[in-house]
Amino acid sequence: MTEEFPGPKTKAVLERGITLFRNGLKFESEMEKAGRRGFRAVRQIVVDKAKGDFVWDMDGKRYIDFQNGWATNPLGNTHPEIIEAVHQAQNRYGFHYDHPLRYDLAEMLADIMPAKALPRFNYEVSGTEAAEAAVHLALTHTKRRYIITFDSSFHGCSIATKVLGGYSAEKSTYLESWAGGAIKAPYPYSDQIPAGMDESQYVEYCLWYLDNHITSCIAAKDNIAGILVEPGLAEGGNWIPTSGFLQGIRKICDANDWLMISDEVLTGLGRTGKMWGVDHYDVIPDILVVGKNLSGGIEPCAGIAARDDILGDNDAFSSGSTFAGTPAGCAAGIKTLEIYERDKVVEHAAHLSRVAGDIMSGWEQYDIVRQVRASGLLMGVSFKKPHDAPADEEDWWTARAVRGKMLEHGVWAISDQAVTIRMYPALNMDEKVLREGLEVMETAIRHVNEHGHTEGNMPPYPTGSAGF
Ligand SMILES: Cc1ncc(COP(=O)(O)O)c(C=O)c1O
């Protein structure tokens, strides 16, 4: 089985990517280099069909879907009611900027915003655009120049969101001159805790950095517009902040007259077992960024919600490109929210997260497991190399090896070049399927724990999507 995976049809499609996509030019030489050291190709699939909790590759092999369109399918793949609603909107409106569905969805969103305190909405196409829009709104509302963001955060793939996010110093090369308005602060995640500090001391330090270090050494507090924060680092490795950190940010924002912007593109709309990530911390942001799940897994839809006084009267702010708030995107969002209410989807997600928590609670006993971290169905497991591994082996190879074994046995999760495997099951996943997927994952962990691995450092096939 190992030799034939991925199957021939999947492999043939992946190979077409070598001449078409990023890094194809260096693929052969990298494969040869890795092959000389005895490593296997990183496993990848190409989705040929998607339905409910599953996807199928080009060879007809079925996988439990923990990848979830990169956390964009809250109700599973190709939900028929959402597809129907999208088709109806397309048939009726085609594409026009103004149509009644924009109003309907904005009303529904106002109703579910934290404490109903963010009643105004501005549509965007993607989470990237929405995060940028939130920052522009904050700058223009406060008439200030700086935004504080965090290392290891992720806000998108435009130049602005790259410099706002936690790109490493190396990856930020050539972007230096674009980063003038972003001030980076440490996010208190536990791998970074300096020696001698415990977690709560490090949280205190990070808050001190925001409130004191930045304002005394980097920018005057009256020139800072706000803090852009994810209430749970997702792309940055599934780090879940403490209440003290999020509540501390709220207090600092209030004390300094800064805006708190919560980027909920990934944590929002039920992913964490509550409607919004901030709901776990009892804080209300001034601006909230939403995307991903709002698409219902069918049609992009994103935007920002804000307080009346922030978005209700601001001539300097403008945003919303041609395809922001399409009829199809809004129809997808409306149907998704209707199903959330009808099927109590967020409650189901919270239940599933307890089931998953019970199953994963013993995993830290494995030598290669560093930590299990989850908030609702924002789930991740970070890995380290086995204790007897060669010195030059890197921890992320272990994550890759586990994830490869999972794929081989029919479970698809996310592991890019990182030490963490992330799992984003649909919020309405069948409990039996969730249990089966996690059982396969534990078997994969046990296998790599016992046998080590010989994969992980082969170059991935260049793919048409981020198909890790
Ligand atoms: C927190 C956060 N903000 C923004 C984005 C960017 O969203 P999009 O990829 O839809 O542009 C992402 C994407 O993963 C995200 O996780």
Side-chain angles (χ1 to χ4, degrees):
M1 185 172 197
T2 304
E3 299 309 318
E4 292 163 24
F5 184 78
K9 290 186 187 151
T10 304
K11 211 165 160 211
V13 176
L14 286 167
E15 278 168 3
R16 284 163 59 200
I18 297 170
T19 57
L20 294 171
F21 301 127
R22 188 157 55 103
N23 284 335
L25 281 180
K26 66 173 189 178
F27 182 72
E28 293 299 337
S29 61
E30 294 278 315
M31 286 289 267
E32 207 230 323
K33 206 173 6 162
R36 266 189 270 127
R37 299 182 61 192
F39 289 97
R40 285 202 298 266
V42 171
R43 284 134 165 81
Q44 270 173 218
I45 63 167
V46 177
V47 175
D48 188 43
K49 196 174 84 174
K51 190 85 211 143
D53 294 334
F54 304 100
V55 295
W56 286 258
D57 73 10
M58 307 296 296
D59 296 280
K61 184 174 164 63
R62 194 191 79 170
Y63 303 84
I64 291 173
D65 186 9
F66 282 173
Q67 202 262 12
N68 195 253
W70 227 275
T72 58
N73 296 334
L75 304 173
N77 290 290
T78 58
H79 195 290
E81 289 175 84
I82 302 172
I83 291 179
E84 175 57 26
V86 165
H87 281 173
Q88 276 183 20
Q90 283 168 331
N91 281 331
R92 180 166 184 145
Y93 306 103
F95 173 70
H96 285 283
Y97 200 82
D98 221 347
H99 51 87
L101 304 184
R102 291 176 80 85
Y103 302 76
D104 297 342
L105 179 58
E107 276 170 5
M108 291 171 90
L109 286 163
D111 214 40
I112 58 168
M113 282 296 150
K116 298 191 199 293
L118 312 173
R120 291 197 183 263
F121 200 75
N122 202 75
Y123 286 101
E124 309 289 341
V125 179
S126 64
T128 300
E129 280 191 2
E132 278 197 15
V135 168
H136 189 213
L137 179 62
L139 299 176
T140 52
H141 176 74
T142 57
K143 301 186 172 47
R144 297 170 180 182
R145 285 170 184 76
Y146 292 104
I147 288 285
I148 298 174
T149 65
F150 295 95
D151 59 6
S152 293
S153 64
F154 183 80
H155 301 290
C157 283
S158 63
I159 286 191
T161 49
K162 280 176 181 164
V163 300
L164 287 162
Y167 261 42
S168 65
E170 194 187 340
K171 279 198 151 184
S172 303
T173 309
Y174 313 119
L175 292 176
E176 296 87 342
S177 61
W178 301 84
I183 299 172
K184 298 276 173 64
Y187 197 97
Y189 58 83
S190 51
D191 262 5
Q192 263 195 342
I193 295 179
M197 269 191 197
D198 65 25
E199 190 168 333
S200 68
Q201 287 168 328
Y202 190 47
V203 169
E204 282 307 311
Y205 168 79
C206 292
L207 292 171
W208 169 87
Y209 189 98
L210 295 173
D211 205 13
N212 292 279
H213 180 75
I214 289 176
T215 51
S216 58
C217 301
I218 301 177
K221 77 176 178 134
D222 293 343
N223 206 3
I224 292 171
I227 300 180
L228 172 64
V229 64
E230 287 173 82
L233 288 187
E235 299 291 329
N238 231 73
W239 294 99
I240 316 299
T242 60
S243 298
F245 184 58
L246 263 285
Q247 288 173 357
I249 288 180
R250 181 67 268 179
K251 276 195 202 122
I252 291 169
C253 284
D254 289 342
N256 291 312
D257 202 14
W258 299 344
L259 299 178
M260 178 176 182
I261 308 167
S262 184
D263 182 345
E264 300 255 7
V265 168
L266 216 149
T267 53
L269 291 171
R271 172 57 51 200
T272 65
K274 290 190 187 265
M275 186 57 85
W276 305 107
V278 286
D279 291 344
H280 290 275
Y281 304 100
D282 214 12
V283 297
I284 301 168
D286 304 299
I287 303 173
L288 186 145
V289 188
V290 60
K292 288 200 187 259
N293 275 351
L294 195 55
S295 69
I298 304 297
E299 196 65 29
C301 191
I304 53 173
R307 278 189 351 229
D308 234 354
D309 58 308
I310 296 174
L311 191 51
D313 181 8
N314 181 342
D315 288 336
F317 168 71
S318 66
S319 186
S321 55
T322 306
F323 292 108
T326 59
C330 290
I334 291 167
K335 186 51 77 180
T336 300
L337 294 183
E338 282 173 1
I339 297 174
Y340 268 45
E341 193 171 341
R342 183 192 71 197
D343 296 350
K344 301 196 173 7
V345 168
V346 180
E347 288 88 331
H348 185 70
H351 166 70
L352 290 183
S353 80
R354 288 189 288 276
V355 170
D358 283 347
I359 294 172
M360 297 190 297
S361 64
W363 289 6
E364 286 175 15
Q365 64 165 323
Y366 293 107
D367 182 32
I368 58 168
V369 172
R370 191 188 292 262
Q371 240 185 6
V372 176
R373 295 188 293 270
S375 173
L377 294 178
L378 184 84
M379 307 194 296
V381 179
S382 64
F383 291 88
K384 56 184 189 289
K385 63 186 178 188
H387 66 272
D388 54 354
D392 65 346
E393 190 165 311
E394 294 187 46
D395 289 339
W396 64 267
W397 298 3
T398 304
R400 274 283 175 89
V402 172
R403 190 265 193 184
K405 268 277 160 241
M406 290 167 68
L407 260 189
E408 218 174 289
H409 292 278
V411 178
W412 190 31
I414 297 176
S415 166
D416 31 28
Q417 195 165 328
V419 297
T420 304
I421 295 182
R422 291 182 284 140
M423 300 88 78
Y424 299 137
L427 308 185
N428 66 346
M429 185 172 261
D430 184 326
E431 186 179 325
K432 278 206 303 280
V433 178
L434 179 83
R435 286 180 181 277
E436 188 188 328
L438 291 174
E439 207 175 288
V440 169
M441 183 165 181
E442 183 167 5
T443 307
I445 293 172
R446 204 179 300 122
H447 178 90
V448 175
N449 200 59
E450 281 170 19
H451 303 288
H453 58 79
T454 52
E455 67 177 299
N457 73 337
M458 291 280 265
Y461 283 103
T463 56
S465 64
F468 298 106

